[in-house]
Amino acid sequence: MANIEQIAKGAIEPGCAKVDPILVASGVTRQFGGLKAVDVAHLEIPRGKITALIGPNGAGKTTLFNLLTGFDKPNTGTWNFAGKDLAGVAPHKVARMGMVRTFQLTKALSLLTVIDNMRLGAQDNPGEKFFAAFVRPLWANKEREITERADALLTRFKLDAKRDDYAAGLSGGQRKLLEMARALMSKPELVMLDEPMAGVNPALTQSLLEHIKGLKENGTTVLFVEHDMHMVRHISDWVVVMAEGKIVAEGPPADVMKNPAVIDAYLGAHANSDLGDVEIATKEGN
Amino acid sequence: MDFGQIFNLTAGELIGVFTAAYALCALGLAMHFGFTGLLNFGQAGFAALGAYGYAFAALKLGWNMWGSFGFGMVCAAVFALILGLPTLRLRADYLAIVTIAAAQALYFFFGTEKYAAFTGGSNGLSEFGGDFYGYNPFPVGRYDLGIITLSEKEIWIRVVSWGLVAFVAVLLVILTRSPWGRTLKGIREDEDAVRSLGKNVFVYKMQSLVLGGVIGSLGGMVFVLSSQTNQASTWVSNFTFMTWTVLLLGGAATILGPIVGSAVFFMFLMFTQAFLEGLVNIGALPFLSIAQVGQIRYLLVGLFLMLLVIFRPQGFFGNKKELQFNG
Ligand SMILES: Nc1ncnc2c1ncn2[C@@H]1O[C@H](COP(=O)(O)OP(=O)(O)OP(=O)(O)O)[C@@H](O)[C@H]1O
Ligand SMILES: [Mg+2]
């Protein structure tokens, strides 16, 4: 686990500055009707580290992902990635800059084969240009290289047996894996994973955790949303906690888990009662 | 009843010009819908622009065949750009609405007397194929092909139109098997996923819209070159819906499908027409007149389509997994 001093610059508090941030967001808000789904005053993601973004259901984690990657427009706010201003930049340009995300609700391209899904993840394939598409020699080499890389990743993600099947035939967990592998095809600088392990069996989770650590070793920054605290504790260098749209805590995993603000955010006012009591209380209240 | 005659008429449709024209228009739609997921309900508009573009360039500008073909294609490409610019960033249904409306607007524009100087008004344009038939290498005469006998002009237009079908089919096979085609299929499945992988979805959709529209304009051109007459009344929304029928018969995400779909569709129309007429003539259907036969066969087409949707939703050639009506 990385040394804390290498990550935060100054005091550790919600929105604190980092020694070497790759992504810096300020004043990002997103309103849905009367609900402020995201209200992030300041957030920095450390470069070359694995950062977990946690928080209860509806905290605004997915919405924040959508905003940062250009899939949704914020009401206010600016953010930059590796020094480049990203506010208002189209999603495909964000991806090309090296910031690639996956989706919580998996988006496998169902009626493409698994290997074609993977190939689509690669960048700068000349054959994806209209006129070059006619001239196979212009892209045959690149295509071969991409396919080799795709096959290696598929093996790593235990999907090689499914290589030539339609993605529609994959199980829910396998789709999650495919989406993550596909995102990695572009060799991103920052990969943002929205609940990558949801529905993946524990044995495979272990190997994927190793893979994510491997990404870090190769210099890729990882930001992931996850509800599984075991996983968060196991691989993350840094944890950011969101609740009701705001960043309520951050820090190294061991410290954050003990933070009263985090326990409060997860269990609300009922921190000391069990779920059965809560239910009875709500019924009586009505 | 002369079954030999019925058979010959039906088989003649296999190489008919309209069969080729609809096959071209349906190939354009296959590009749009089958391979990209774009809903174009205005293919008649693209075909009309091809037809009027050719006729206008040949008659009013005095251009030769090549120039006229080019002009028709450019008109369709510009139409695609105009329709695509505001709608391709929006949800798929917006393109559908806009194409229906724009094709209908073109239909009224071409039919009105106000611009008769350009379009010929309700009479349309005719006798614009001089240069085209000037290229005809077949000497004047009647050619007996076994089942049907054709004039040298009828042979020439068939050679050109089926040659175009073959050319476009090969072009689409190459494109759909390339990484470019793979990106389009990805867009058909989920635009946002493809965006998240760094592809400019808008540009791909626009390229597909233009390409499919231009292919449709070729269909319109061969359609009117066969008789050298072009009237607005051809380009009603029925034309679009028949193109869709042809596409779905054969299979939307295939290339052979639209071609075979068109052949089956026109053979079916011709067969039912000739067969029912034969039955009426020998008094077997006392409740039908000859004039009603023409309409009855479309009812049968509808019935046929319903059976297809129920029993073979992917069309003749479609891969059941790859694309269905609800795809
Ligand atoms: N398109 C939308 N329209 C209206 N409200 C929305 C929309 N998207 C999200 N919200 C609301 O914004 C809030 C934050 O949602 P978000 O999906 O970001 O939560 P999350 O932290 O990802 O939760 P989970 O852990 O369950 O995935 C929720 O209250 C949700 O109902
Ligand atoms: Mg979420």
Side-chain angles (χ1 to χ4, degrees), chain A residues 1-2 50-52 54 197 202 204-213 216 224 226 228-239 252-254 257:
Chain A
M1 207 123 302
I50 300 177
T51 303
I54 65 170
M197 298 303 166
L204 195 48
T205 307
Q206 206 51 44
S207 111
L208 288 181
L209 292 185
E210 293 311 312
H211 190 78
I212 293 179
K213 282 190 194 165
K216 184 174 87 165
F224 72 102
E226 188 53 66
D228 176 357
M229 287 309 145
H230 171 73
M231 171 176 169
V232 170
R233 215 186 303 255
H234 186 64
I235 64 165
S236 52
D237 302 308
W238 195 258
V239 179
M257 306 282 175

Side-chain angles (χ1 to χ4, degrees), chain A residues 30-33 35-38 54-66 72 104 194-195 225 227 242 245:
Chain A
R30 177 67 166 105
Q31 195 113 18
F32 291 118
L35 174 84
K36 215 165 203 182
V38 167
I54 65 170
N57 293 123
K61 306 179 294 293
T62 298
T63 308
L64 180 63
F65 264 35
N66 289 344
D72 192 7
Q104 179 172 7
D194 200 344
E195 303 199 16
V225 173
H227 287 292
M242 268 184 97

